[in-house]
Amino acid sequence: MADLVRDLTATSGDTAAVIAPFTGELLHDLPLSSVEDVADATAAARVAQAAWWAAGDAHRRRVLLKAHDLLLDRREELLDAVQTETGKTRGQAFEEVFNAAAATRYNALSARRVLRGGRRRGGIPFVISTRVGFTPKGVVGVITPWNYPLSLALMDIAPALAAGNGVVQKADNQGAVSILSARRAFIDAGVPAALWAVVAGEGSVIGNAVVDAGDYVCFTGSTATGRIVAQRAAGRLVGSSMELGGKNPLIVLDDVDPVRAAADAAYACFSAAGQLCVSMERIYVLKGVADAFIPAFADRVKGLALGAAFDYSTDVGSLATAAQLEKVTAHIDDAVAKGATLLAGGKARPDLGPYFVEPTVFTDVTSDMRCAAEETFGPVVEVRVVDSEDAAIAAANASEYGLNASVLGRSRARARAVASRLRAGSVNVNEGYRATFGSVDAPMGGVMWSGIGRRNGPEGLLRFVETRTIAGATGLLQLPRTGAEFSKLVGPMLLLLRILKGLRRR
Ligand code: NAD
């Protein structure tokens, strides 16, 4: 790890202490970047980007597919880095490596097809010929949080590189080594080091510098910071995508197998100890199944193996930082003090590690409690019984957020019908988040407070290019330039419009 941190572009001389969540011990003093480092990294990325774009899509595809293989070959090293920095379980770290590799493969193989460009219909058939092409934005500024350092980075960086861009990434201090470890795989596969620079430091200083330097900005983090970053990017008239917070609802329909639904719901809520933008914090269960589901869910949660282990022996890991512990315990204490009923968990577990908190299930949550509408971003979920499907949908949609949602039901057709009425960028059926999050060919993102723009799929690639239309006169007919010429052609042109509409020709 000490070796990897040298790959940061960071010459300020300042450092930040990074604590390992499993032990509470100092992991390393992370070198921090200066504003000049960001400017230098951007200038170097611009030079590297010109050559990367000129090398052509076959070259980019070959290099990125090689990077995919190296990510898989080096998975154990990556899993260790992710667990050490974030405190998540081996299984949830594996989801990250899987996702990072899938995003790399998808974009390597899709860029050529999605960004091929080509002919479009001319404004006047035969008289105008029109083509559309794409060129890279240039250097993309990417700002990532600590919770999913690998997958969130590569869901932006793999398409940015595949589309021919350079990248300057501001890593969160708590996830920098995982990112640098993945970046090494890309460099060893043939990505020039300067093409993807990583900087670290205070968000309001180094994050701002990245926003000020990029030709496009990808931000993943909280809604509060996203508002600042989006406005700053807009002030420079550069585009941005914002992947922000959520308060995600899960609906349990009354035709489920309650034990199976309990197991699915528990994973959906407590993966990465709830520190996952798409994990569930609100459960609405239909009254017909509530008496069977709620105890089965509480039992399942109480049975989850909580602990620090660099193997697959645990189900739930640690919170990542002292700040996370403080926020999560504040939400739990507030709910308990205001009369919520605790069905499972509710306690910090310093015997397991400094930041462990038990997966916690509440009922009787009222709107004055912090965990009712605010994103906890931790292992805390509310269960509420609802009278009908309509009531479940109304409760699920009663949020300022709209990132992810889930519906559990035996009848897939019924569950899909409910899913189609939920206000969220993604909805999973009989899964919590992996069905949509892992579908790299389908767009992912949020509505309302949960963000702007989409990653993954063709939409995720098209963020990173400028569209250029080139159209010209074929010479078959001279367009009018003088009053006399117009007076001759107005009649035929009106007729043409009517014919085009009559033929339903776009
Ligand atoms: P955060 O907003 O505090 O920080 C995210 C990143 O932004 C960090 O790298 C931080 O240093 C940087 N930053 C902070 N202030 C900045 C500024 N003024 N200008 C530029 N950059 C700045 O979020 P966090 O606590 O690290 O992450 C948790 C949040 O992220 C949760 O709300 C979670 O839901 C959200 N999240 C969303 C997604 C998604 O895909 N929608 C994914 C993961 C996390």
Side-chain angles (χ1 to χ4, degrees):
M1 290 213 175
D3 169 43
L4 276 167
V5 297
R6 282 201 286 273
D7 289 359
L8 280 169
T9 306
T11 67
S12 73
D14 294 336
T15 58
V18 177
I19 303 299
F22 278 163
T23 62
E25 285 165 9
L26 180 71
L27 188 57
H28 47 235
D29 285 310
L30 191 77
L32 297 180
S33 311
S34 62
V35 169
E36 293 72 36
D37 287 333
V38 176
D40 291 348
T42 307
R46 280 197 194 291
V47 175
Q49 186 269 331
W52 177 246
W53 173 236
D57 52 22
H59 173 75
R60 290 191 289 277
R61 173 184 163 124
R62 203 165 40 247
V63 169
L64 294 177
L65 288 176
K66 171 82 177 148
H68 166 275
D69 294 348
L70 293 180
L71 288 176
L72 298 191
D73 292 350
R74 298 175 189 181
R75 65 189 178 280
E76 295 300 322
E77 191 184 315
L78 288 165
L79 294 175
D80 288 345
V82 168
Q83 282 200 278
T84 303
E85 287 190 308
T86 66
K88 67 180 65 165
T89 65
R90 196 92 176 154
Q92 284 134 30
F94 178 76
E95 283 188 1
E96 281 223 61
V97 173
F98 185 95
N99 231 228
T104 305
R105 180 200 77 236
Y106 174 79
N107 287 292
L109 295 174
S110 305
R112 183 188 205 141
R113 184 178 48 80
V114 174
L115 306 177
R116 189 190 288 133
R119 292 178 75 87
R120 297 282 175 95
R121 289 179 189 278
I124 301 177
F126 309 114
V127 176
I128 302 291
S129 119
T130 302
R131 299 189 73 83
V132 170
F134 299 105
T135 53
K137 291 273 182 188
V139 175
V140 175
V142 176
I143 300 175
T144 45
W146 45 266
N147 66 323
Y148 272 67
L150 283 192
S151 43
L152 296 176
L154 284 164
M155 283 159 83
D156 286 336
I157 292 168
L161 295 177
N165 296 277
V167 170
V168 175
Q169 178 184 11
K170 188 205 126 7
D172 191 280
N173 295 351
Q174 198 72 36
V177 166
S178 303
I179 288 162
L180 291 168
S181 184
R183 176 177 172 268
R184 278 269 177 101
F186 279 71
I187 291 170
D188 293 345
V191 166
L195 189 72
W196 172 6
V198 182
V199 294
E202 196 58 47
S204 58
V205 181
I206 299 307
N208 276 350
V210 168
V211 177
D212 290 348
D215 302 311
Y216 185 84
V217 177
C218 298
F219 174 81
T220 307
S222 63
T223 298
T225 310
R227 286 185 205 282
I228 298 169
V229 173
Q231 288 181 35
R232 199 170 177 103
R236 295 185 53 233
L237 296 178
V238 301
S240 62
S241 57
M242 297 285 135
E243 299 289 346
L244 309 178
K247 186 75 185 172
N248 307 306
L250 178 148
I251 293 176
V252 183
L253 298 176
D254 50 14
D255 61 350
V256 290
D257 167 350
V259 173
R260 187 173 167 182
D264 287 339
Y267 195 79
C269 298
F270 302 117
S271 184
Q275 301 166 113
L276 170 59
C277 54
V278 287
S279 65
M280 299 296 149
E281 296 194 359
R282 302 181 283 146
I283 295 181
Y284 301 108
V285 53
L286 263 66
K287 70 174 179 218
V289 75
D291 287 346
F293 171 79
I294 294 176
F297 181 58
D299 283 351
R300 178 78 187 190
V301 173
K302 285 179 198 157
L304 293 171
L306 185 63
F310 285 92
D311 57 28
Y312 294 97
S313 61
T314 57
D315 304 320
V316 180
S318 173
L319 296 179
T321 60
Q324 276 295 104
L325 176 69
E326 198 180 313
K327 181 169 176 207
V328 169
T329 49
H331 275 214
I332 293 173
D333 294 348
D334 172 73
V336 170
K338 289 175 181 161
T341 306
L342 202 50
L343 294 186
K347 288 198 297 290
R349 293 291 302 272
D351 53 314
L352 300 173
Y355 309 143
F356 277 89
V357 171
E358 290 173 346
T360 299
V361 181
F362 283 119
T363 54
D364 304 318
V365 167
T366 49
S367 57
D368 58 332
M369 297 175 191
R370 288 186 65 186
C371 70
E374 237 183 83
E375 181 185 42
T376 305
F377 210 56
V380 180
V381 64
E382 166 202 359
V383 182
R384 191 176 301 180
V385 181
V386 287
D387 286 341
S388 64
E389 235 174 70
D390 283 350
I393 292 165
N397 285 342
S399 171
E400 308 279 11
Y401 292 104
L403 186 60
N404 185 38
S406 168
V407 185
L408 306 183
R410 194 185 299 263
S411 156
R412 287 175 64 197
R414 180 182 171 201
R416 280 220 190 97
V418 171
S420 70
R421 295 172 62 195
L422 295 179
R423 204 161 50 198
S426 57
V427 187
N428 293 267
V429 171
N430 291 328
E431 235 296 320
Y433 62 89
R434 291 177 291 191
T436 53
F437 200 75
S439 293
V440 286
D441 189 28
M444 186 243 153
V447 301
M448 301 180 295
W449 284 13
S450 293
I452 303 173
R454 295 291 182 270
R455 52 166 53 131
N456 283 350
E459 294 84 352
L461 266 163
L462 287 163
R463 287 180 294 169
F464 297 114
V465 288
E466 297 290 2
T467 308
R468 180 168 48 215
T469 298
I470 299 179
T474 59
L476 202 67
L477 181 89
Q478 178 59 60
L479 291 175
R481 290 166 297 190
T482 63
E485 287 171 1
F486 268 104
S487 75
K488 256 197 252 151
L489 283 174
V490 162
M493 286 172 89
L494 288 173
L495 180 64
L496 174 71
L497 285 174
R498 292 193 177 100
I499 291 170
L500 290 176
K501 190 216 151 188
L503 294 172
R504 297 289 186 267
R505 200 184 141 110
R506 288 180 297 110

